[in-house]
Amino acid sequence: ANQIKSVAERKIALAIIPGIERKITPILDLGLGYLSMNRSVKSLSGGEHQRISLAGQFSADLYGVTYVLDEPTIGLDTKQIEALMKLLNGLVQKGNTIVAVEHDRQFIASADYIIEMGPKAGKAGGEVIFQGKKSELSQHPETLTYELLMKQEHLKPAVFDSVRIPFGVSGAFQNNLKNIDVSFNSGQITAVTGVSGSGKSSLIRDVLFESHQKHRPVGCSSVFGMEQFDEVLLIDQKPFTGNSLSTVASYTNMLSSISNEFAKTAVAKKAGFKKGDFSYQSKKGKCGACNGYGKQKTSLDFMGDVWTECDVCHGQRYNAEIETCKLNEKSIGEVLKMTVNEASDFFESQDLINDLRILNDVGVGHLQLGHSGNLLSGGEAQRLKLANAMMSKMKEKSLFLFDEP
């Protein structure tokens, strides 16, 4: 503003610039000063996207507000978490309240009050295991939070006996990559590390993966060594489809196997039901009141849609006729209400048992088979994608690309 000579322009600038500075300050405080103003939101890493969203909220100078954050430290390094905590503490000092769902040790250690949920996940959760100040944790050594904050775990690195062949990119320039050459080795685990915004996702997702997908160099001058892989899989945390018809069972194609088991029952054969009728999207199978969603939508003027449990099928997704078909005294709607762990003890089909074991191994044993895909957390969605890849007929040599697993 001091460099503007025109009186009219100076008055306009003095009216505009303070507001701009107020919006830019939290962005700088969160370590995002390197981003250009015209940077596409789609090209941002997970951590950058989260912090930009936070900055948009924090730039409004409000008080008496309760901010509920879902894992705000995703993708942040130690210094960036310190900057985030400084910003959050500033909000609290202004008369606001912060409630955050977090796994990060540094963030939890800096919190004023801790609530641990558990004892396990899914149906085995839902209880308060501990609540109180961090100083009170010493009296509860049985809690996972105590182990996280007080104990030091040392993991031994895995050793792989395999042939290692180099692959990678040359002259990568996508986003903030500065014409770099990067080489990886197959047959091992490679960790791409660095501060949030340093170009990790740009290198792996926007250059390496996109170049393979489009069969030409993307964001780089050349790609080498990728011909050694039969398939390349990107396992990220992007959510599934935006509606609740996509479920754990349908996404992993287990619904087809489950439907096959019900089609074999005596009641199904007598009624003339085929395998396809046991899909909650089929005309013969779905509940006519909710069209297989298990929920009914109520549209409200000036507000978002409200979904409530279907009062006809009671969330089972299927019509009454299909529900009369029982497998070990359970209908298919009841089976989809089972968790992965419960279903592992229910089914006798070895193929289903093998698939369920994979789901359990990747850490989603707590999910119900009928859990809607659009209600999964980012981590759950990512692990489900990994499980689905492992359930499929994997090709001989695969390259897995993970974004913050």
Side-chain angles (χ1 to χ4, degrees):
N2 294 329
Q3 298 175 359
I4 300 175
K5 296 180 180 179
S6 167
V7 175
E9 289 179 350
R10 184 177 176 80
K11 286 184 178 180
I12 294 173
L14 289 174
I16 295 174
I17 289 176
I20 295 175
E21 288 180 337
R22 190 164 57 249
K23 290 183 179 295
I24 287 179
T25 298
I27 297 176
L28 297 175
D29 290 343
L30 289 172
L32 297 172
Y34 60 87
L35 292 177
S36 58
M37 300 296 285
N38 64 347
R39 176 79 175 262
S40 169
V41 174
K42 288 184 179 180
S43 71
L44 299 177
S45 68
E48 290 169 335
H49 193 280
Q50 172 95 296
R51 283 180 288 158
I52 282 290
S53 299
L54 287 173
Q57 293 294 318
F58 296 159
S59 60
D61 197 12
L62 303 175
Y63 64 92
V65 176
T66 298
Y67 291 92
V68 181
L69 310 178
D70 191 2
E71 299 190 48
T73 64
I74 288 177
L76 303 187
D77 59 34
T78 300
K79 289 185 178 179
Q80 291 166 336
I81 293 175
E82 289 175 357
L84 173 64
M85 291 303 300
K86 183 178 179 181
L87 190 68
L88 296 182
N89 283 323
L91 283 173
V92 172
Q93 290 171 7
K94 291 180 180 179
N96 299 298
T97 301
I98 308 293
V99 178
V101 176
E102 257 305 340
H103 297 280
D104 181 76
R105 176 177 181 173
Q106 184 181 352
F107 189 99
I108 296 172
S110 301
D112 300 306
Y113 196 79
I114 297 171
I115 300 174
E116 179 180 313
M117 302 295 293
K120 295 183 179 179
K123 289 184 177 180
E127 299 177 24
V128 175
I129 305 303
F130 169 81
Q131 58 180 349
K133 297 179 180 178
K134 187 178 70 172
S135 59
E136 298 171 11
L137 264 177
S138 58
Q139 303 170 27
H140 299 272
E142 74 283 358
T143 62
L144 290 175
T145 307
Y146 174 87
E147 291 187 20
L148 176 69
L149 298 183
M150 309 300 180
K151 290 186 177 181
Q152 293 289 333
E153 296 291 340
H154 300 282
L155 301 177
K156 294 182 179 179
V159 179
F160 304 95
D161 183 18
S162 57
V163 178
R164 299 177 182 180
I165 304 174
F167 65 95
V169 298
S170 299
F173 56 81
Q174 188 77 9
N175 297 326
N176 62 331
L177 300 178
K178 295 175 173 59
N179 198 35
I180 59 173
D181 301 333
V182 184
S183 180
F184 306 87
N185 281 317
S186 63
Q188 63 182 24
I189 297 175
T190 299
V192 181
T193 70
V195 299
S196 180
S198 58
K200 303 185 299 295
S201 295
S202 295
L203 172 65
I204 301 304
R205 181 190 61 205
D206 300 333
V207 177
L208 188 63
F209 182 70
E210 283 299 315
S211 294
H212 176 268
Q213 288 292 95
K214 296 181 179 179
H215 305 289
R216 61 177 175 80
V218 175
C220 64
S221 59
S222 63
V223 182
F224 61 91
M226 295 296 285
E227 66 280 354
Q228 65 181 295
F229 300 110
D230 298 313
E231 63 179 350
V232 177
L233 303 167
L234 177 64
I235 313 292
D236 58 18
Q237 295 192 10
K238 289 185 179 178
F240 295 142
T241 177
N243 66 60
S244 57
L245 286 177
S246 174
T247 60
V248 171
S250 66
Y251 178 76
T252 57
N253 205 36
M254 282 197 301
L255 183 59
S256 176
S257 301
I258 294 171
S259 299
N260 191 48
E261 293 297 308
F262 275 91
K264 294 177 183 177
T265 61
V267 176
K269 290 179 179 179
K270 186 176 180 180
F273 290 130
K274 305 297 182 184
K275 174 183 174 181
D277 298 328
F278 286 92
S279 165
Y280 51 77
Q281 297 185 52
S282 68
K283 289 184 178 180
K284 284 189 177 182
K286 66 182 178 181
C287 168
C290 65
N291 285 319
Y293 282 90
K295 299 178 181 179
Q296 292 174 315
K297 182 174 71 173
T298 302
S299 298
L300 302 176
D301 292 337
F302 310 112
M303 297 177 67
D305 297 333
V306 174
W307 289 83
T308 55
E309 185 180 274
C310 177
D311 54 8
V312 177
C313 69
H314 303 290
Q316 304 285 64
R317 298 177 181 263
Y318 292 90
N319 60 47
E321 196 174 3
I322 282 288
E323 288 286 272
T324 60
C325 301
K326 304 283 186 177
L327 178 67
N328 297 334
E329 301 182 358
K330 295 286 185 181
S331 69
I332 190 167
E334 291 172 322
V335 166
L336 291 187
K337 291 284 186 179
M338 291 181 178
T339 65
V340 170
N341 289 331
E342 291 169 341
S344 299
D345 297 327
F346 176 79
F347 287 107
E348 297 176 358
S349 165
Q350 193 58 49
D351 288 341
L352 274 171
I353 291 173
N354 291 340
D355 286 347
L356 291 164
R357 184 181 295 117
I358 292 173
L359 286 172
N360 189 54
D361 287 345
V362 300
V364 291
H366 62 282
L367 293 179
Q368 292 181 342
L369 295 177
H371 191 98
S372 297
N374 63 335
L375 298 179
L376 296 170
S377 69
E380 288 170 338
Q382 187 175 42
R383 284 175 281 162
L384 200 58
K385 292 175 185 178
L386 172 60
N388 188 51
M390 296 171 68
M391 289 177 187
S392 306
K393 288 185 177 179
M394 289 184 62
K395 297 183 179 179
E396 188 173 343
K397 202 168 185 182
S398 302
L399 170 62
F400 288 86
L401 302 176
F402 291 93
D403 192 359
E404 300 190 43

